[in-house]
Amino acid sequence: MARSVGFSLPVTVVVVAIGYIYFSTVFIFVDRWFGLWSSPGLMNAAIFTAVAAMCVYNYSISVFRDPGRVPSTYMPDVEDSENPIHEIKRKGGDLRYCQKCSHYKPARAHHCRVCKRCVLRMDHHCIWINNCVGHANYKVFFVFVVYAVIACLYSLVLLLGSLANDFEKDEEQSADSFTTVYYHEGVRAMWLAEKGGQIYSHPYDLGTYQNLSMVLGPNIFSWLLPTSGHIGSGLRFRTAYDYPSSGSTSK
């Protein structure tokens, strides 16, 4: 039995969260890890879509299905042999009667102050479905929670996999383009020098301190300050050839 449902902020939050997790998982996590249109990508996208669809389907039923109403004509039969258990009031020992709904309450039925009526086998009132969890929607609510947990765990696995894959790609790119362009130039020059039987040293390698000074400035106390510390015009740079070798002597 369906029930009328108005606007509910918690339900809207749940719907938005489901949509966000779905699109993030399929179009970001799966795509980054496998490539969405690859065979593994399509397989994982299809499986996650199926899990998400079951989650949404059961959630919708939990929201719109009436959890169960006590018939207005209900009257407990204390002589019914098929139902030997009859709940009674704690005080007085009378059969349970709802003063607000003006009828007797069957076993496990309770009055919901939010829904303002008695609900059969009432478990609790859940704000996230804007409905009571009772006799008629207990199973679909439970199944919804199961599928939601599976979807979250699946999404977490795909997230971790995509992050690990991105890390590997970043390492490969870093290895391919290690440091700067000067590194590649130096490697090539070193290879050519060794091929010619010579010992190569990079002309712009002035030593650790001088290299840092060229970038950070001559004043070591201002190295970590956001001040302009570059040296020269950028049209010419000092090289190792500008300094006399330690083994040379003046004449």
Side-chain angles (χ1 to χ4, degrees), residues 4-230:
S4 59
V5 180
F7 173 78
S8 171
L9 180 59
V11 172
T12 303
V13 171
V14 173
V15 172
V16 171
I18 292 175
Y20 177 80
I21 293 174
Y22 175 78
F23 283 100
S24 298
T25 302
V26 174
F27 296 103
I28 297 179
F29 306 157
V30 173
D31 188 44
R32 285 185 176 179
W33 190 359
F34 304 106
L36 184 57
W37 300 110
S38 65
S39 296
L42 289 173
M43 180 186 69
N44 280 277
I47 294 174
F48 189 81
T49 299
V51 174
M54 291 301 297
C55 183
V56 172
Y57 176 72
N58 284 277
Y59 179 74
S60 300
I61 297 178
S62 300
V63 172
F64 291 102
R65 178 176 291 177
D66 192 296
R69 296 174 178 268
V70 179
S72 58
T73 58
Y74 170 76
M75 179 66 66
D77 186 0
V78 295
E79 297 180 356
D80 186 1
S81 59
E82 295 181 358
N83 186 22
I85 299 177
H86 295 276
E87 295 180 355
I88 58 177
K89 294 181 180 180
R90 294 180 181 178
K91 296 181 179 180
D94 296 332
L95 292 174
R96 297 167 67 239
Y97 186 86
C98 181
Q99 298 292 341
K100 297 179 180 179
C101 296
S102 301
H103 59 60
Y104 287 98
K105 293 188 290 187
R108 306 177 70 178
H110 298 278
H111 186 87
C112 176
R113 287 178 292 182
V114 180
C115 297
K116 298 180 180 179
R117 62 184 177 85
C118 289
V119 177
L120 296 176
R121 198 181 66 170
M122 178 183 173
D123 186 81
H124 69 285
H125 183 89
C126 180
I127 63 171
W128 300 109
I129 64 173
N130 193 32
N131 194 10
C132 277
V133 178
H135 176 69
N137 65 349
Y138 189 95
K139 177 183 177 180
V140 290
F141 178 80
F142 177 78
V143 174
F144 155 68
V145 173
V146 171
Y147 275 110
V149 172
I150 294 174
C152 290
L153 293 176
Y154 195 178
S155 178
L156 178 61
V157 171
L158 293 173
L159 168 61
L160 296 177
S162 65
L163 291 177
N165 188 59
D166 285 347
F167 180 74
E168 292 178 359
K169 289 182 178 179
D170 290 341
E171 283 190 333
E172 292 176 358
Q173 292 176 357
S174 298
D176 292 339
S177 57
F178 182 72
T179 313
T180 62
V181 66
Y182 298 110
Y183 172 81
H184 292 284
E185 291 180 349
V187 170
R188 177 171 176 78
M190 183 182 297
W191 178 78
L192 292 174
E194 291 178 352
K195 188 177 181 180
Q198 301 175 354
I199 299 176
Y200 172 79
S201 68
H202 202 291
Y204 293 108
D205 186 4
L206 307 180
T208 303
Y209 176 77
Q210 291 293 339
N211 291 340
L212 289 173
S213 298
M214 289 295 294
V215 177
L216 302 177
N219 187 357
I220 191 173
F221 296 104
S222 65
W223 279 9
L224 299 181
L225 299 178
T227 57
S228 177
H230 57 272

